[in-house]
């Protein structure tokens, strides 16, 4: 609905190209065409080390009670050899392969074959067929938004099994965590490799493909913008949301069940992590149509970064707090628990309200009220590769007048709350806030580079009006 209106408005205002001084730079928006040495070095580093980082964290919990330093100390002092650690690592099992295949197949069925019914009875929820943003080639894709429904069905079945059917133990995910890691890796590499081959030989939209000529960059950052199989199976929407984000809350529930099994109770820190991350996940699916307008869908091409990242990095590293709490069942004092809850809720509020303000502003083309007033904005223009000129607006009031990425600031506060729930005994649960700070700071830079290429001088006017990125007066 929102996307449809946006496209209609864009089409009403679209003009044929005019030769002006910003045209050359404006048609270059979208992902990079050329690879600099720093990007290449970062990509090679991630390709080599990201799988090892995931293994190291999960192995540390399995063999060293989540200590990140003990394995290193053992190796450096010769107390253990790499082979000792590797030999104690659970291998791929038929059981894990079966569970994982069933899991992914079930999510594919929910995604492709069950059209959304939630929007028919949930007031305010935008589901069903929706349109994405205009791609650099000027294409507007349609998506079946049914993630909330997939999440609800999956969780209803999970609870029905846990409390009624007892087909499998709710600790099943924790109990097979490392064998499942091998399955997730197989899928992550398979889908990234398939996406690369597809980009070369049978792309969904050839005009939206980008070839830098560098194999590693293209493999990592992707060639195709919106690879699809058939009309509806969109790789980006499927892999980012399901199996990764639907699994997130199930993984946390499995950790809580393991605590119950091991200690006869679930600690308040585990409940806090489940609740705060649960809110974030449900929010994601409630706003899945909005997600079509985020950088993942509007800017990133589909390669290893998204394919492997969604299958392995996200479910394994975003859930480290719950995993840690299985090994260290922290029970917080009331004041600390309330503090963590408040920080998590404030972070969530800022994150959601900021994203909502932009969504409302864009959906209504500025004809709305933000904090009781008409929004202030800067008019801007850009071009797609076919030379069509579009007009847009950048809001400069509400949270968007405080900082250019205040939604990231809210996200970071929420992320910090999950980590603080785990106490201060170990660094491992703090990986998330460290990672999110790097990710979102890097995103600021990436997004601003994109917007500057897209909007040219208009973007400079905007940054002069809203000078700070994340924290007003500081950065
Ligand atoms: P945004 O939702 O902030 O989208 C950025 C885009 O919004 C810009 O490229 C531009 O696009 C448009 N825009 C920028 N400034 C304005 C303005 N003042 N007025 C109107 N439109 C503007 O960023 P992301 O897609 O990165 O993130 C979305 C959310 O997802 C964030 O809250 C982030 O915290 C979260 N996130 C979470 C991650 C996780 O792993 N947990 C990972 C990444 C993001 P246009 O071309 O349309 O002008």
């Amino acid at each position: 609905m929102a996307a449809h209106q946006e496209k209609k408005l864009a089409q009403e205002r679209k003009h044929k190209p005019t030769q002006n001084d910003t045209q050359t730079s404006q048609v270059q928006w979208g992902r990079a065409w050329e690879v600099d040495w720093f990007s290449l070095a970062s990509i090679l580093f991630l390709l080599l080390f990201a799988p090892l980082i995931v293994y190291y964290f999960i192995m540390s919990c399995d063999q060293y009670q989540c200590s990140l330093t003990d394995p290193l100390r053992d190796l450096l002092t010769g107390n253990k050899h790499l082979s000792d650690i590797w030999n104690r690592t659970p291998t791929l099992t038929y059981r894990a392969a079966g569970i994982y295949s069933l899991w992914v197949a079930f999510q594919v069925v929910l995604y492709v074959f069950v059209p959304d019914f939630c929007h028919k009875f949930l007031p305010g929820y935008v589901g069903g067929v929706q349109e994405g943003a205009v791609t650099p080639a000027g294409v507007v894709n349609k998506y079946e938004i049914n993630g909330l429904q997939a999440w609800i069905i999956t969780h209803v079945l999970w609870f029905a099994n846990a409390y009624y059917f007892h087909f499998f133990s709710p600790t099943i995910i924790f109990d097979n965590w490392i064998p499942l890691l091998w399955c997730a890796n197989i899928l992550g590499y398979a889908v990234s490799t398939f996406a690369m081959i597809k980009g070369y030989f049978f792309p969904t939209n050839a005009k939206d493909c980008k070839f830098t000529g560098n194999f590693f960059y293209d493999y990592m950052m992707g060639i195709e913008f919106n690879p699809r199989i058939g009309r509806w199976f969109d790789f980006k929407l499927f892999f980012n949301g399901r199996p990764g984000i639907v699994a997130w809350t199930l993984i946390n529930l499995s950790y809580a069940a393991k605590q119950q099994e091991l200690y006869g109770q679930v600690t308040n820190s585990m409940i806090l992590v489940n609740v705060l991350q649960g809110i974030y996940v449900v929010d994601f699916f409630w706003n899945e149509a909005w997600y079509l307008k985020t950088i993942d869908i509007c800017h990133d091409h589909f390669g290893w970064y998204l394919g492997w990242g969604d299958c392995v990095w996200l479910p394994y590293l975003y859930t480290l707090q719950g995993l840690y709490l299985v090994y260290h069942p922290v029970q917080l004092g009331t004041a600390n628990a309330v503090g963590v809850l408040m920080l998590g809720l404030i972070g969530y509020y800022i994150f959601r309200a900021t994203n909502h303000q932009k969504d409302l502003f864009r959906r209504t083309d500025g004809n709305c009220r933000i904090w009781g007033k008409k929004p202030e904005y800067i008019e801007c223009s850009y071009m797609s590769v076919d030379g069509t000129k579009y007009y847009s607006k950048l809001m400069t009031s509400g949270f968007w007048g405080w900082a250019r990425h205040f939604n990231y600031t809210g996200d970071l506060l929420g992320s910090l709350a999950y980590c603080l729930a785990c106490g201060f005994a170990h660094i491992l649960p703090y990986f998330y806030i460290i990672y999110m700070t790097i990710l979102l700071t890097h995103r600021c830079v990436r997004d601003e580079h994109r917007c500057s290429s897209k909007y040219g001088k208009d973007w400079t006017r905007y940054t002069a009006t809203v000078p700070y990125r994340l924290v007003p007066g500081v950065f």
Side-chain angles (χ1 to χ4, degrees), residues 6 29 133 248 280 290-291 293-296 298 314 318 351 355 358 361-362 380 382 392-396 400 404-405 407-409 411-412 432 435-436 439-440 443 447 450-451 454-455 459 462:
E6 184 184 293
W29 62 284
W248 189 345
Y280 194 76
W290 152 84
Y291 177 68
K293 305 293 168 61
T294 63
I295 292 177
D296 286 351
C298 295
L314 190 155
Y318 284 26
F351 161 83
N355 285 322
K358 186 186 85 175
F361 171 77
R362 280 284 170 92
C380 48
Y382 63 96
S392 189
K393 292 183 172 89
L394 293 166
M395 182 165 44
T396 54
W400 293 88
R404 299 200 291 271
H405 304 275
N407 48 349
Y408 294 176
T409 310
D411 210 347
L412 289 174
Y432 190 67
Y435 163 73
M436 284 296 279
L439 175 92
L440 293 179
R443 233 171 214 252
D447 186 47
R450 169 184 177 271
C451 289
K454 182 174 176 180
Y455 295 122
W459 182 255
Y462 170 62

Side-chain angles (χ1 to χ4, degrees), residues 457-468:
K457 282 187 220 148
D458 296 333
W459 182 255
T460 314
R461 280 197 297 134
Y462 170 62
T463 56
T465 312
V466 185
Y468 292 102

Side-chain angles (χ1 to χ4, degrees), residues 204-351:
T204 305
N205 186 332
K207 281 193 186 156
D208 264 324
C209 286
K210 279 198 173 172
F211 299 91
T212 61
N214 185 294
F215 173 82
F216 294 109
Y217 190 88
D218 287 351
Y219 185 67
M220 169 99 173
M221 300 309 289
I223 292 172
E224 274 202 83
F225 193 52
N226 293 118
R228 286 186 170 206
I229 291 181
R231 200 163 158 220
W232 294 112
F233 189 86
D234 183 90
F235 279 55
K236 267 198 234 170
L237 194 63
F238 177 77
F239 280 100
N240 194 55
R242 324 61 166 301
I245 300 186
V246 176
W248 189 345
T249 33
L250 289 186
I251 294 164
N252 280 342
L253 286 170
S254 184
Y255 292 153
K258 196 68 193 178
Q259 260 201 351
Q260 179 69 39
E261 183 187 289
L262 290 174
Y263 312 107
Q265 63 154 345
V266 178
T267 60
N268 59 3
S269 53
M270 180 66 97
I271 294 171
L272 278 170
V273 167
N274 267 264
V275 168
L276 291 175
Q277 295 190 346
I279 293 173
Y280 194 76
V281 167
V282 173
D283 174 277
F284 173 84
F285 287 117
W286 182 272
N287 294 292
E288 200 179 15
W290 152 84
Y291 177 68
L292 299 178
K293 305 293 168 61
T294 63
I295 292 177
D296 286 351
I297 301 281
C298 295
H299 180 63
D300 289 337
H301 289 231
F302 187 85
W304 187 86
Y305 170 73
L306 286 178
W308 181 86
D310 293 339
C311 290
V312 181
W313 186 270
L314 190 155
Y316 276 84
L317 295 189
Y318 284 26
T319 57
L320 278 178
Q321 291 85 24
L323 181 65
Y324 173 85
L325 292 171
V326 173
Y327 294 91
H328 301 271
V330 174
Q331 183 68 23
L332 296 169
T334 310
N336 288 347
V338 171
V340 167
L341 181 65
M342 292 312 293
L343 180 67
L345 292 178
I346 290 169
Y348 170 72
Y349 168 75
I350 294 175
F351 161 83

